[in-house]
Amino acid sequence: MADNLSDTLKKLKITAVDRTEDSLEGCLDCLLQALAQNNMETSEKIQGSGILQLFASLLIPQSSCTAKVANIIAEVAKNEFMRIPCVDAGLISPLVQLLNSKDQEVLLQTGRALGNICYDSHEGRSAVDQAGGAQIVIDHLRSLCSITDPANEKLLTVFCGMLMNYSNENDSLQAQLINMGVIPTLVKLLGIHCQNAALTEMCLVAFGNLAELESSKEQFASTNIAEELVKLFKKQIEHDKREMIFEVLAPLAENDAIKLQLVEAGLVECLLEIVQQKVDSDKEDDIAELKTASDLMVLLLLGDESMQKLFEGGKGNVFQRVLSWIPSNNHQLQLAGALAIANFARNDGNCIHMVDNGIVEKLMDLLDRHVEDGNVTVQHAALSALRNLAIPVVNKAKMLSAGVTEAVLKFLKSEMPPVQFKLLGTLRMLIDAQEAAEQLGKNVKLVERLVEWCEAKDHAGVMGESNRLLSALIRHSKSKDVIKTIVQSGGIKHLVTMATSEHVIMQNEALVALALIAALELGTAEKDLESAKLVQILHRLLADERSAPEIKYNSMVLICALMGSESLHKEVQDLAFLDVVSKLRSHENKSVAQQASLTEQRLTVDS
């Protein structure tokens, strides 16, 4: 065999120059046979012989041997070590020229050769890009799209594969294909050739690659991809095939227009059916498919239009089915059910309807099942849903009387930041009412935990929400007892720090809470306000031109309130506040200017 191969390679060198087609064909057949028996070893011999350079001259449209030469190149390029040598031997340009051939076999082998050279090879892709190969292949796909005979479908499959290898994991080449209009062509291919498994699979992989790119979503949205994928999905019984379609659906469903198209094409019904079929199975594939289907369901609900269409005023079949997931014993379904409710709870009308129809009790039951050693993702999702439901004013009192705060407080001991964050957000949404704020503000365990979380520097979200809840407890309760509890727990320094936040809304909330502390319990808080350097911070806020008008206004209100404390009063005098305040009398904001006059009078009287 080895001797035979060496002879063939020598002979090929001679015949390649002479162009005697019969003996050339014999040599090429020998090479193909050798490659079929041991591709790697034969490829190494071909590389060592220097014959690759000769192939460039053999790739001529009018020769009867051209398809075989392209076939040999396709075979050797299956080996990674042969791809760069193929590029260096100057084979790309003549191969791309052959894409203009009318001979189907030549096109097939040329497509294979270019596809294999591009596989995982930057050099191969770059050379094909420079030779303009992609556009010619896309034009072929367009013109051959409607022909359904097996030979043509095989060619279409090879061309799709070539484009995939050409652009896989390369954003700029994928963007190039998108600009050349490959997406509508591939969608059309899928529709026409959905009976051909190999071609369908190739289209799906190509979609999966392209759909990751943001710029592709708009093009996909202007085709009937949703309808085609759902149609294909309904026909599939094999797990692997469905999984391939899921891998395309997930990135596409991130686009709101496509979400709605998928809902209208009936994807939700398919997903609900999968959930029903797989819910009791303990097979690994079934568990994975249940997760994928329920996750995709939640993703579809992230679009406002698709969500509202499925809610159907709370009477919709989909909404009812999702509700039934919450009391299920399957953690994945509990999670998806709670996340779906959180997504349905994105406007006041839906929230009010759901609270009036008993959703809060279902979510509290679910939380109750996850208090001790519970599933963190389920806790997080159920708390997210409760937080969203608590946004409309009319829901707050109903949720308080249903016992939501008690249910939520059971998770105070959680050490998981995502759970802590949602717990804080839910409580903050609920305490607009004075009575609720007072009750929670006197809960020493809660206040101590808040003060602890105010120092959670690794978790900015938890830290921010803890500060905001501390402030809200004071602002909504206006209660001396709440202030005393917060002072005793060491919360004052955090409220003072919050007044320097980069978020105006948080600065403002802190200043209003501090003004209430100064008005109601200045004696109790005096030492803490002093050691937190409040007066210096207020001076800085007033002197800083970048401070928002409401910050300047509330800082001056607070200064006036602090004058009742001897030690703080002295600090105010030492810092020459009069200069800063008198400048603000001419501030463009009327409220700031008026407050500056009042503050100036107060400072002058008390100096």
Side-chain angles (χ1 to χ4, degrees), residues 55-75:
F55 283 168
S57 63
L58 297 176
L59 291 167
I60 44 176
Q62 51 274 43
S63 164
S64 61
C65 297
T66 305
K68 282 184 180 168
V69 178
N71 187 359
I72 290 168
I73 297 168
E75 288 301 317

Side-chain angles (χ1 to χ4, degrees), residues 508 511-512 515 538 541-542 547-560 584 587 589-596 598-599:
N508 221 22
L511 291 169
V512 172
L538 292 173
L541 289 174
L542 288 171
S547 294
E550 59 268 40
I551 301 302
K552 291 188 186 292
Y553 177 88
N554 283 322
S555 295
M556 289 188 283
V557 170
L558 181 48
I559 286 292
C560 294
L584 293 173
H587 196 277
N589 182 295
K590 276 195 182 137
S591 302
V592 172
Q594 281 172 343
Q595 186 58 41
L598 291 171
T599 308

Side-chain angles (χ1 to χ4, degrees), residues 170-200:
N170 184 313
D171 286 0
S172 65
L173 292 179
Q174 286 177 352
Q176 180 196 73
L177 295 183
I178 291 165
N179 292 335
M180 289 174 177
V182 74
I183 288 173
T185 306
L186 289 174
V187 174
K188 196 172 166 194
L189 268 182
L190 183 70
I192 294 170
H193 302 274
C194 57
Q195 302 304 325
N196 184 304
L199 185 48
T200 298

Side-chain angles (χ1 to χ4, degrees), residues 503-523:
H503 305 291
V504 174
I505 190 165
M506 286 176 70
Q507 279 186 293
N508 221 22
E509 287 170 0
L511 291 169
V512 172
L514 289 163
L516 281 165
I517 292 169
L520 297 170
E521 275 297 324
L522 187 54

Side-chain angles (χ1 to χ4, degrees), residues 329-524:
N329 289 322
N330 182 304
H331 281 186
Q332 174 56 34
L333 280 194
Q334 293 170 359
L335 170 64
L339 287 172
I341 297 303
N343 286 346
F344 280 125
R346 285 209 317 280
N347 65 50
D348 284 7
N350 291 4
C351 289
I352 293 163
H353 180 279
M354 286 193 278
V355 168
D356 287 347
N357 284 276
I359 188 65
V360 170
E361 289 72 16
K362 283 189 170 68
L363 289 167
M364 291 198 315
D365 288 348
L366 176 60
L367 276 174
D368 232 23
R369 295 161 72 180
H370 288 276
V371 176
E372 298 303 326
D373 307 319
N375 182 304
V376 173
T377 51
V378 175
Q379 293 170 359
H380 178 257
L383 289 167
S384 296
L386 287 171
R387 181 199 173 280
N388 289 2
L389 291 166
I391 292 171
V393 175
V394 295
N395 279 358
K396 296 180 197 290
K398 293 173 188 169
M399 290 175 73
L400 286 167
S401 61
V404 171
T405 47
E406 293 78 4
V408 169
L409 286 170
K410 290 177 186 170
F411 293 90
L412 258 188
K413 54 181 180 285
S414 171
E415 293 303 331
M416 305 306 289
V419 174
Q420 296 166 354
F421 180 69
K422 288 298 177 186
L423 171 152
L424 292 162
T426 308
L427 291 176
R428 191 164 62 78
M429 284 300 150
L430 284 170
I431 59 161
D432 281 9
Q434 190 168 359
E435 195 183 327
E438 189 163 0
Q439 194 186 345
L440 280 175
K442 289 191 290 195
N443 180 329
V444 178
K445 268 189 183 158
L446 168 65
V447 173
E448 284 177 348
R449 195 70 160 131
L450 290 182
V451 170
E452 184 189 325
W453 286 341
C454 281
E455 290 170 8
K457 300 236 177 344
D458 294 343
H459 302 287
V462 172
M463 195 162 84
E465 277 292 344
S466 303
N467 279 302
R468 293 189 77 185
L469 184 52
L470 266 187
S471 154
L473 291 170
I474 295 168
R475 288 181 296 111
H476 295 306
S477 71
K478 300 179 179 60
S479 151
K480 291 183 168 210
D481 289 340
V482 170
I483 293 169
K484 281 177 188 163
T485 307
I486 289 172
V487 172
Q488 282 155 10
S489 303
I492 296 297
K493 63 179 178 190
H494 297 299
L495 290 170
V496 174
T497 306
M498 183 181 167
T500 64
S501 164
E502 59 194 21
H503 305 291
V504 174
I505 190 165
M506 286 176 70
Q507 279 186 293
N508 221 22
E509 287 170 0
L511 291 169
V512 172
L514 289 163
L516 281 165
I517 292 169
L520 297 170
E521 275 297 324
L522 187 54
T524 313

